[in-house]
């Protein structure tokens, strides 16, 4: 009997020990708060998490979708989670801190513990950790991916590795986009990006806005054209579609 597959997402803050003590503490407090909020934003979609499992590391576990409609929601949720974690770390540290990510597809070896993701283990987590350490950290990339190729007798076949690299390449596009944002753009995206509420609009996957652009303009004391232009340039609305196209 085949074991169900899951998608494990792990994130580790790069060079966190080089941050000043107060800055690192502030980032950690922000990540704890973000973890709590993400659990309500994403609802019941994650199997477990998002959760801070150590001072600078976060994890989340998602179901591996069997149908297209499920794939759209999972892809959007993962892209949204990556965006929020990366953007929040960038905002709080004023651009000094950045995450590396690993995404692994595979089975679980332990029972599901929705309240303590750190107690769970299995191939999905092993592959996510390998992707994080070998592909992202050592390769100086935004994210690595493992386990997304078709079943094959040789785990390191070019067909299997090609699928992993394609997904990782899409994450690179997401990472490059986030890194290109100014501090103000990051604030605008975090204010307008509704976590976990997916809509299909004009054939694209989008999230319903948390705040309207008019509300954001009022909050930050700028004109509506400034907000609209900044968000259009940030292109955050396109990230779920990038994730979906690469993985499924």
């Amino acid at each position: 009997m085949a074991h169900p597959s899951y998608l494990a997402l792990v994130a580790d803050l790069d060079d966190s020990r080089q941050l000043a003590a107060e800055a690192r503490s502030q980032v950690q407090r922000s990540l704890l708060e973000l973890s709590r909020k993400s659990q309500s934003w994403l609802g019941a979609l994650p199997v477990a998490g998002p959760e801070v499992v150590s001072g600078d590391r976060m994890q989340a576990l998602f179901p591996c979708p069997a149908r297209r409609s499920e794939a759209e929601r999972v892809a959007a949720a993962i892209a949204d989670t990556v965006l929020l974690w990366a953007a929040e770390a960038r905002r709080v540290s004023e651009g000094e801190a950045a995450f590396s990510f690993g995404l692994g597809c595979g089975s679980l070896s332990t029972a599901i513990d929705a309240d303590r993701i750190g107690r769970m283990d299995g191939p999905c987590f092993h592959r996510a950790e390998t992707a994080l350490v070998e592909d992202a950290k050592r390769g100086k990339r935004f994210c690595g991916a493992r386990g997304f190729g078709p079943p094959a007798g040789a785990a390191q076949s070019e067909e299997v590795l090609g699928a992993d690299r394609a997904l990782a390449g899409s994450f690179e596009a997401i990472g490059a986009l986030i890194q290109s944002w100014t501090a103000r753009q990051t604030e605008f995206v975090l204010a307008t990006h509704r976590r976990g509420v997916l809509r299909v609009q004009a054939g694209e996957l989008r999230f319903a806005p948390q705040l309207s652009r008019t509300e954001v303009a009022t909050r930050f004391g700028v004109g509506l054209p400034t907000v609209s232009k900044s968000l259009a340039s940030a292109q955050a609305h396109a990230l779920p579609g990038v994730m979906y196209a690469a993985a499924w």
Side-chain angles (χ1 to χ4, degrees), residues 184 188 214-224 226-227:
R184 179 53 60 91
F188 288 170
T214 300
E215 290 171 323
V216 171
T218 300
R219 170 182 288 189
F220 290 96
V222 298
L224 179 58
T226 298
V227 174

Side-chain angles (χ1 to χ4, degrees), residues 3-236:
H3 295 285
S5 291
Y6 299 90
L7 302 175
L9 178 67
V10 298
D12 189 66
L13 204 61
D14 297 333
D15 302 322
S16 59
R17 293 181 181 179
Q18 296 182 14
L19 292 173
E22 179 56 33
R24 187 177 181 187
S25 177
Q26 186 176 359
V27 169
Q28 290 174 340
R29 289 195 300 270
S30 177
L31 294 180
L32 284 169
E33 180 63 20
L34 183 61
S35 174
R36 288 190 288 268
K37 289 181 178 179
S38 294
Q39 292 173 14
S40 62
W41 291 330
L42 293 171
L45 182 58
V47 176
E51 182 178 330
V52 178
V53 293
S54 66
D56 304 315
R57 176 166 290 216
M58 297 182 76
Q59 291 184 352
L61 186 68
F62 297 88
C64 191
R67 294 189 298 271
R68 178 184 175 87
S69 59
E70 295 173 352
E72 291 175 342
R73 295 181 64 242
V74 172
I78 292 175
D80 196 42
T81 301
V82 168
L83 182 154
L84 291 171
W85 290 359
E88 183 66 9
R90 182 176 173 82
R91 182 190 71 81
V92 175
S93 69
E94 297 182 348
E96 294 186 16
F99 271 121
S100 289
F101 293 88
L103 186 65
C105 181
S107 59
L108 277 174
S109 300
T110 58
I112 293 174
D113 189 340
D115 297 322
R116 293 291 298 273
I117 193 172
R119 295 178 178 177
M120 300 165 66
D121 194 25
C124 60
F125 285 105
H126 302 165
R127 289 168 182 163
E129 183 67 23
T130 298
L132 173 68
V133 174
E134 295 188 8
D135 301 336
K137 294 284 190 181
R138 293 179 185 170
K140 303 296 183 182
R141 299 174 66 88
F142 181 68
C143 181
R146 293 294 180 102
F148 287 86
Q156 297 298 307
S157 72
E158 282 303 311
E159 187 178 15
V160 171
L161 291 177
D164 292 343
R165 289 169 183 155
L167 181 55
S170 293
F171 268 109
E172 285 304 301
I174 292 175
L177 188 63
I178 293 172
Q179 289 298 316
S180 74
W181 293 344
T182 64
R184 179 53 60 91
Q185 278 181 308
T186 303
E187 293 278 9
F188 288 170
V189 169
L190 288 171
T192 59
H193 206 60
R194 175 69 177 185
R195 291 78 166 172
V197 181
L198 180 64
R199 299 285 185 269
V200 177
Q201 179 178 331
E204 292 186 356
L205 296 168
R206 296 174 181 266
F207 287 90
Q210 180 183 10
L211 294 176
S212 70
R213 296 185 178 190
T214 300
E215 290 171 323
V216 171
T218 300
R219 170 182 288 189
F220 290 96
V222 298
L224 179 58
T226 298
V227 174
S228 297
K229 183 177 179 179
S230 181
L231 289 174
S233 176
Q235 300 180 53

